[in-house]
Amino acid sequence: MSDREARDRQEFEGVAASPGIGIGPAFVVDRRSIQVPHTRIDRDQVEAEQIRFHESLVSTRQQLETIKSRLHHGEHRQILKAQQMMLRDPDLIQRTESLIRDELQCAEWAVATATDEVLEMLDQADNEYFRERGSDIAFLAERLLMTIQGEHPGELLPPRGSIVVAHDLNPADTASLYRAGVVGIATVVGGKTSHSSIMARSLQIPAVVGVDGLIQTINSGDLVIVDGVHGLIIVEPTPAELAGLEGEQARYDAFELRVQKDRAFKAVTDDGLHVVTRANLSISEDLALAIQFGAEGVGLYRSEYLFMGREKMPTELEHYKDAKRVLRKAAPHPVVYRTFDLGSDKQTKLLSFDEREVNPAMGMRSLRLALRERDMFLAQLRGLLRAAVHGPLRIMMPFVSSLEELEAGLQALAEAREQLQEAGMPQSEDVPVGIMIETPAAAMTADILAERVDFMSIGTNDLLQYTLAIDRENDDVQYLYQPLHPAVIRLVHQVAEAGRKRKIPVSLCGEMAADPRYTWVLAGLGIREMSMHPSAIPVIKDLIRRSSGEDMKKLAAQVLKARSAFEAERIVFETMHARFPEHLDHGGGSGVFRHGGEDE
Ligand code: PEP
Ligand code: MG
């Protein structure tokens, strides 16, 4: 190693936000240096400043519209739409206007003050989701300020093949990076659920976020490795490191090509076990991508997104149209349409939630909320029953915690049927109805609940949260997120057994399904359907095709005997690492609940 290498090489740890390895010269974006003039204006300038402010709002919205029109991915467009809506926020606008009018601040100063106030508020929020929305506000403020000052923020234009290093990126930036051919992203702020991380994952750009000290250390042109598998940033790597990683990157790309090639074929083990792989979707626009990735239909359609970021309640007709659209795009495959799962971390302005709710995850959410907001629930159920005439729709109710709750949900469905009948509207008579198993209570009584439904789907994201008492939004306790904890494994097994005895399908649609380390155990426990974010499907399918059902059962039997999560992890990770090193390195695109640590 030369002196220069020894002096310059640096390594940073961060959060592995999007898997893959990117190597290239850094392109450092440091936009925090916008100068905000603090000019006190005269009274007769107030009107002109108000006009400058309003013109910049219009122009910024247009800039976002232009970027949005170039995006094809539904989720990305949705994020930009949400940002455009933030620019219409009456509180923000009125506050800025009053700072100009009453405090005689110039437009730039007033925008900076008003947005800083919002940022401060978001920063103090307990909820990680709200804290992370702060980055959206900060970027909007930045765009507004540049626009007022007559600069056009435009799109980032890094050279092809570079690694973008930034304090933070907004979704508009991330989308333009994809087109620019950027091979990696490293940011100082951001978490697993921040919008840029979500986007990087779906655009398949390797990303590491939450890395302290990046901007101060890295200069444009420095050679940087973004290791999105292990959450590492290496600046000025040694030649040996570089050779090793370049080799790894080439293997990674070749692997990607291979699994993509067969993605349309079913996932059947060599001894004939078919594991159905379906897609989890938040909005119908993503379906085309899911089918491309080889999804055998939709295993979880998160319909609550239809209620978010809007001013009016969706009508029966909108529900009908949305479900019909999803069915048409998924045909001939089935669509498991989850009735709205609002509350807790998925809030909507359309409903009032008790501000004093100390523990919203245990509060008025999901099916409980639907039963309280009966008219809203009935409108959705009517829309779904009507849409089911057009294809294989399955209705799934989230977050059931008792038989009575399930009966009340079924009762609402019967009422929706009657209402349609009375109105003389056509509806499907044959719609399978299922539930999500997300609470320990539901898992432990799955045999009882199974008697009343046509299918069950295990939502491990919530099941783990409630079984292991770990807040899924809280990074500090992510190390306790242990899908192989004996409590979780026993519950999953219990549900699979209940389904087998009752002869109804049991699927699993939590993030765990997207992680190749768990595929054998889940299939071995009796899970025959797995639903995951679309980009994970080709890897999981390929792994299943290279497996035998017998081996899966053997591993599951061993795991059922393990006395702790660590013991189970040792057995499973050793087996899976030995058999599928490439699949595991690839991570199946499952950056969301990745463990840190050696076993990765
Ligand atoms: C789950 O809880 O596992 C699930 C799939 O639902 P969501 O992530 O939408 O809560
Ligand atoms: Mg859930």
Side-chain angles (χ1 to χ4, degrees), residues 338 341 346 365 436 438 459 461-462 472:
R338 174 168 80 183
D341 184 32
K346 292 179 227 158
R365 60 164 294 190
M436 284 197 73
E438 295 169 286
N461 302 342
D462 277 321
R472 59 189 272 194

Side-chain angles (χ1 to χ4, degrees), residues 280 282 300 302 304-305 338 341 345-346 365-366 396 398-399 436-438 457-466 472 481 508-512 531 593:
N280 289 354
S282 302
L300 167 65
R302 292 182 162 106
E304 55 275 10
Y305 282 86
R338 174 168 80 183
D341 184 32
D345 56 330
K346 292 179 227 158
R365 60 164 294 190
S366 315
M396 177 160 77
F399 206 69
M436 284 197 73
I437 304 288
E438 295 169 286
S457 185
I458 308 175
T460 43
N461 302 342
D462 277 321
L463 186 60
L464 263 94
Q465 162 164 262
Y466 295 106
R472 59 189 272 194
Y481 181 88
L508 191 140
C509 61
E511 281 299 315
M512 191 181 174
S531 192
F593 284 118

